Amino acid sequence: MEMGDEEKINAAKGALEEVKDGMCVGLGSGSTVREFIRLLAEKVKKEKLNICCVTTSFDSRMLAIERGLWVTEPDAISEVDLAVDGADKVTKTALLKGGGGALTREKIIDYNAKRFIVIVDESKVQEVLDGKVALEVLPFATPMVLKHLSKYNPRIRMADRKLGPVVSDNGSFIIDMNMKVENPEKLEQEFNSIPGIIENGIFTKFDSIIVGRKDKWEKV
Ligand code: 5RP
């Protein structure tokens, strides 16, 4: 087990309590959500639940299918009852997401769910959002978007085990900018108004945050 895994598992356990038979569950992305997917699959098997899942990345989709969960596509369902997703940083009012490059599909599923629960370990909690703001951009528009955002020192996210940029599950590029986000709602709108940007990783709509600690979880 790696450092911080217990916290992630405890956060996932907190969200698991919200899952009820017959729900359609939106599965976010990232290592904390991976713990949730593992636990959800066990619960579904043990309690013989009827749960359908929609996923926000190939990563979550592959794990959910491997664990035997029923996975469908968002366009095949009319609504998501509960979305469970991780975050890179959280405050009481906003999140930074996109560390795994899945922010666009995450925002679509999370914002359209009847309830959206965020699961994080305690290292993610901040007073003021400060970290990497991720943007998903259309590849051909990237130079124009970079120029537009030059005051934020934007950088194209580069791949580790492939030449060139990270290509998202949607075939787009990701731009990262380090910053303190004093007014998340305003910035979330502002970034999305720039042509070429598909979505940004500032999230300001969610229902609750479950923080995993070493031996328990807490709703904040
Ligand atoms: C992916 C995300 C993830 O939810 C975020 O990066 C948190 O991941 P982890 O649980 O591994 O820390 O936004 O785009």
Side-chain angles (χ1 to χ4, degrees):
M1 208 183 262
E2 290 193 8
M3 275 269 288
D5 282 357
E6 297 104 321
E7 286 94 329
K8 290 178 188 186
I9 293 168
N10 282 333
K13 282 182 180 164
L16 201 66
E17 292 194 5
E18 309 283 334
V19 176
K20 305 285 175 263
D21 196 19
M23 276 186 165
C24 180
V25 180
L27 304 175
S29 299
S31 54
T32 319
V33 167
R34 289 175 71 83
E35 299 300 348
F36 175 75
I37 294 172
R38 291 187 186 106
L39 291 171
L40 178 64
E42 281 172 19
K43 182 180 165 102
V44 165
K45 256 186 215 138
K46 198 166 148 212
E47 298 176 24
K48 297 191 173 39
L49 302 180
N50 186 26
I51 298 289
C52 95
C53 299
V54 284
T55 58
T56 56
S57 60
F58 288 130
D59 188 61
S60 295
R61 180 179 169 80
M62 286 162 75
L63 179 63
I65 291 171
E66 181 199 303
R67 294 295 162 127
L69 286 165
W70 168 27
V71 176
T72 184
E73 285 298 317
D75 58 358
I77 52 162
S78 54
E79 55 189 11
V80 176
D81 297 295
L82 173 71
V84 177
D85 204 350
D88 301 308
K89 304 283 177 200
V90 306
T91 66
K92 286 198 168 71
T93 56
L95 323 169
L96 288 183
K97 288 185 49 56
L103 58 138
T104 298
R105 195 143 160 165
E106 287 173 335
K107 200 175 271 189
I108 293 169
I109 301 288
D110 296 346
Y111 275 27
N112 282 298
K114 284 194 221 158
R115 287 185 61 224
F116 168 27
I117 297 179
V118 184
I119 52 173
V120 289
D121 62 77
E122 54 192 349
S123 70
K124 309 283 185 67
V125 182
Q126 299 184 316
E127 282 299 316
V128 178
L129 269 193
D130 192 351
K132 243 179 220 157
V133 173
L135 308 169
E136 182 156 0
V137 293
L138 281 171
F140 79 86
T142 304
M144 291 178 198
V145 171
L146 287 173
K147 192 166 168 208
H148 206 105
L149 296 169
S150 56
K151 68 174 175 190
Y152 297 114
N153 188 25
R155 294 165 320 280
I156 300 173
R157 192 180 296 180
M158 301 307 282
D160 264 348
R161 305 203 40 212
K162 159 194 171 290
L163 294 173
V166 165
V167 178
S168 77
D169 291 357
N170 309 310
S172 315
F173 291 173
I174 305 288
I175 289 177
D176 291 307
M177 302 171 297
N178 277 319
M179 67 175 81
K180 197 174 245 184
V181 182
E182 311 265 11
N183 190 340
E185 278 189 24
K186 184 166 169 267
L187 216 51
E188 181 181 17
Q189 299 305 324
E190 202 174 302
F191 287 142
N192 279 7
S193 70
I194 298 170
I197 294 181
I198 301 166
E199 192 47 82
N200 70 80
I202 302 173
F203 284 51
T204 54
K205 296 185 189 92
F206 50 89
D207 293 293
S208 55
I209 301 177
I210 294 178
V211 179
R213 307 202 190 276
K214 271 240 168 309
D215 49 0
K216 60 177 179 180
W217 56 267
E218 272 171 3
K219 234 179 220 183
V220 297

